[in-house]
Amino acid sequence: MNNKNQKLELNWIGKGEEPKLEPRILLEQPEYSYGDPSSGNMLIHGDNLLALKALEQDFAGKVKCIYIDPPYNTGAAFDKYDDGMEHSLWLSLITPRLALLKRLLTIDGIIWISIDDNEVHYLKVLMDEIFGRNNFVACLPTIMNLKGNQDQFGFAGTHEYTLVYSKDITNARFNSFEILDDELEEWSMDDIGYYKKGAPLRATGAESTREDRPMMFFPILVRGDDVSTISEDEHSKIFDKITQCFNDLFLNSICEKYRSDGWEIVLPMVDSQTYGRWRWGYNSENRQRLRTDVIIQRTKNGISLYKKQRPELGELPSRKPKSVFYRPEYSSGNGTSQIKRLFGPNSFPYPKPEDLIRDFLIISTDEGDIVLDSFLGSGTTAAVAHKMGRRWIGIELG
């Protein structure tokens, strides 16, 4: 058996049986044209496979960035299109289009594809086959709903994916985000990572006295930059659960004991006469957090303690794009609101927000580059490219 011609690939019924495409011609409809005729921008109405074939003659190797948001094949039926194709038909639909898109890219061109769990793994293998596995750049979880879709089975869906491939990774170049210096000034770094000053460690507001949460009242010990607290046995004797009373004589005695060992004592005082409580209870996890997650601030009135606030997803800016793609502006609801403001309610389902497309173009294009979207849908890609000074080609069936 000859194995020389064998290769790893994805197979399905109908693969390789696509009809041969003849060259096509694009015809302008002058009554719909507007703006600067020399801009090169084009909105093409028709089947995107035929349109891509027609573009091949003049634009092969000239498109710097391609973004597509193809049907996800979720099984749903929308007003504007059917998203429930048989799996092999979906693969047969997307394959010849990807092959043409590759031919249109410049040698340093980048393609971005939005997709979700229904087809992402098959699409990854297909893209490896068409673009070459060595030209794979990233599979970016793209956070579209930080709260999560509560209607999904098992897990509340938070993200989609963006597959990123280059035409030739040896020539690919990615731009960085612009970050203002003051965006990082508020953050400091310790052995764990970045942090900034958070809320006071003493509880405030309702139920913030020691009587409200007796077990959350105890001395915190400070010596230099070290933070600790009393032993479990000592903590258990501060409040008598049977009599429901605090033993302040014992509290004073252990405070004196630790002072004699060189510790400063910090108690959660509401005022000079009233004991409060801490935000953290007394347990092994929080005793460890005292050593790593507390900021000590000394003033003329004594010592105040604050929580170290660690950055949450998307809070810490980075010049280099992150492998988890998230900003609050990427919310799918934001995209819907933008389209609704332009065209009214129910104009198009699940449009991508402009901010997401803008960041794709910032990373992979410069002013004057050609951007192509062959599943134009709501027109967001063309709109964003136009605002950013990129030339654009959009294909939409209507």
Side-chain angles (χ1 to χ4, degrees), residues 221-290:
L221 314 177
V222 177
R223 184 162 55 194
D225 293 330
D226 294 333
V227 181
S228 187
T229 189
I230 59 178
S231 69
E232 290 186 61
D233 181 61
E234 290 167 336
H235 175 259
S236 67
K237 295 176 182 178
I238 293 176
F239 180 75
D240 189 322
K241 294 182 180 179
I242 297 175
T243 64
Q244 294 290 295
C245 293
F246 288 95
N247 187 342
D248 286 339
L249 287 176
F250 177 74
L251 173 66
N252 293 334
S253 70
I254 59 172
C255 288
E256 286 303 317
K257 167 194 163 184
Y258 283 101
R259 284 193 187 99
S260 66
D261 287 339
W263 292 96
E264 297 176 84
I265 308 300
V266 185
L267 291 167
M269 304 299 297
V270 175
D271 53 48
S272 60
Q273 302 297 321
T274 309
Y275 288 117
R277 66 171 178 87
W278 301 116
R279 291 181 184 271
W280 297 344
Y282 186 96
N283 55 48
S284 58
E285 179 184 352
N286 287 333
R287 292 200 299 275
Q288 178 60 34
R289 290 179 72 190
L290 287 173

Side-chain angles (χ1 to χ4, degrees), residues 67 114 330 352-362 371 373 380-382 384-385 388:
Y67 169 73
S114 291
Y330 296 164
K352 290 296 184 290
E354 289 194 11
D355 303 82
L356 178 65
I357 306 302
R358 182 181 297 110
D359 282 353
F360 290 162
L361 299 191
I362 287 173
V371 177
D373 185 342
T380 304
T381 303
V384 172
M388 294 178 67

Side-chain angles (χ1 to χ4, degrees), residues 21-65:
L21 286 177
E22 299 297 331
R24 300 283 171 152
I25 298 175
L26 295 172
L27 298 176
E28 181 185 2
Q29 292 183 278
E31 65 270 25
Y32 294 118
S33 295
Y34 64 94
D36 182 2
S38 65
S39 68
N41 299 330
M42 287 193 289
L43 178 59
I44 303 170
H45 177 77
D47 183 286
N48 58 11
L49 181 61
L50 302 180
L52 289 171
K53 186 64 179 177
L55 288 170
E56 187 179 23
Q57 179 176 344
D58 293 328
F59 288 92
K62 295 183 180 179
V63 176
K64 180 64 181 299
C65 172

